[in-house]
């Protein structure tokens, strides 16, 4: 039996969504974020990095969402949620499987961290910290994030999904960056992004995953 070690309000929600889509039985072991928003130390007993998600099944302990969703689809999916192997859509899916955590999440994470820095700084230097962070945001993050949002919007324009006419692992992986971007910066004029998030959230499997995972601020 698969166990998903799941942290509230986290990327881990994607794994539950995929398992619900595929109708694979699983158990959820829930962990609550600390006040600092970090994961509780118990997660380090499951995997040395102490992050979520982690999947365990039999002898296997697997971290990294991309590896986990690939494992689930390969071993329990019977070909579902993947385009034909080797096709152009399959390679597009591979691209987004890596892009989600490798290129999309880092600037979104930086955005979150930098926004919090002034509030953590000693009162006396807070205005300086605020001005510094505003500079970083304007010159470093905002242009990169705008490029990413434009790229995603264009990628969704044809079918509404990231890799072909049907939802795939690419959409599972990209759902979290899009939810996080919507919450942290907004989509502006890019209408395919909001439509994607709405389409994902309306799926019965996504609703079922929310019930299993508990509080999730992004849906
Ligand atoms: N690239 C990893 C990222 C894992 C990760 O950073 N997970 C976050 C949840 S959104 C976490 O566990 N944060 C708590 C912490 O860093 O202590 C993946 O996709 O699995």
């Amino acid at each position: 039996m698969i166990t998903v070690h799941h942290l509230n309000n986290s990327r881990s929600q994607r794994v539950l969504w995929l398992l619900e889509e595929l109708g694979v039985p699983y158990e959820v072991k829930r962990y609550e974020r600390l006040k600092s928003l970090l994961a509780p130390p118990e997660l380090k007993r499951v995997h040395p990095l102490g992050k979520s998600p982690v999947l365990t099944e039999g002898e296997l302990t697997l971290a990294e969402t991309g590896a986990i969703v690939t494992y689930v689809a390969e071993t329990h999916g019977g070909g579902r949620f993947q385009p034909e192997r080797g096709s152009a859509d399959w390679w597009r899916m591979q691209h987004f499987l890596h892009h989600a955590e490798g290129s999309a999440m880092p600037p979104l994470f930086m955005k979150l961290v930098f926004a919090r820095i002034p509030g953590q700084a000693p009162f006396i230097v807070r205005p300086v910290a605020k001005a510094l962070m505003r500079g970083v945001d304007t010159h470093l993050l905002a242009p990169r994030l705008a490029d990413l949002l434009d790229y995603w919007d264009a990628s969704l324009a044809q079918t509404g999904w990231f890799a072909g006419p049907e939802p795939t692992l690419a959409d599972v992986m990209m759902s979290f960056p899009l939810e996080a971007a919507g919450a942290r910066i907004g989509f502006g004029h890019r209408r395919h992004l909001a439509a994607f998030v709405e389409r994902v959230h309306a799926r019965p499997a996504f609703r079922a995953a929310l019930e299993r995972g508990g509080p999730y601020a992004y849906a």
Side-chain angles (χ1 to χ4, degrees), residues 166-194:
E166 304 292 337
T168 67
L169 301 183
D171 304 289
V172 174
M173 285 304 289
M174 288 301 292
S175 61
F176 189 71
L178 265 71
E179 288 168 339
R184 286 168 208 173
I185 47 183
F187 295 138
H189 61 279
R190 304 169 189 89
R191 63 193 170 89
H192 299 296
L193 302 184

Side-chain angles (χ1 to χ4, degrees), residues 66-168:
I68 292 171
V69 298
T70 304
Y71 169 79
V72 168
E74 289 285 323
T75 56
H76 298 276
R80 288 169 297 157
F81 265 68
Q82 300 203 58
E84 189 193 333
R85 192 171 291 268
S87 65
D89 282 341
W90 188 81
W91 283 112
R92 232 167 261 135
M93 179 187 80
Q94 296 296 328
H95 163 73
F96 283 110
L97 268 170
H98 293 275
H99 174 86
E101 288 296 321
S103 297
M105 282 313 294
L108 286 166
F109 180 68
M110 282 200 261
K111 175 94 188 163
L112 185 71
V113 172
F114 289 162
R116 289 207 178 124
I117 286 177
Q120 315 275 325
F123 187 71
I124 187 99
V125 294
R126 216 167 270 174
V128 179
K130 243 188 206 160
L132 266 175
M133 290 309 119
R134 208 176 303 122
V136 169
D137 194 47
T138 310
H139 299 293
L140 183 80
L141 285 180
R144 277 166 184 75
L145 284 165
D147 283 351
L148 284 169
L149 293 181
D150 286 344
Y151 174 56
W152 304 338
D153 197 49
S155 303
L156 288 169
Q158 224 177 347
T159 68
W161 300 111
F162 277 100
E166 304 292 337
T168 67

Side-chain angles (χ1 to χ4, degrees), residues 7 10-11 14 33 38-39 51-53 64-65 101:
L7 188 64
S10 82
R11 293 157 160 89
R14 295 177 289 194
R33 287 184 189 269
L38 293 179
K51 308 253 181 223
S52 173
E64 280 299 332
T65 323
E101 288 296 321

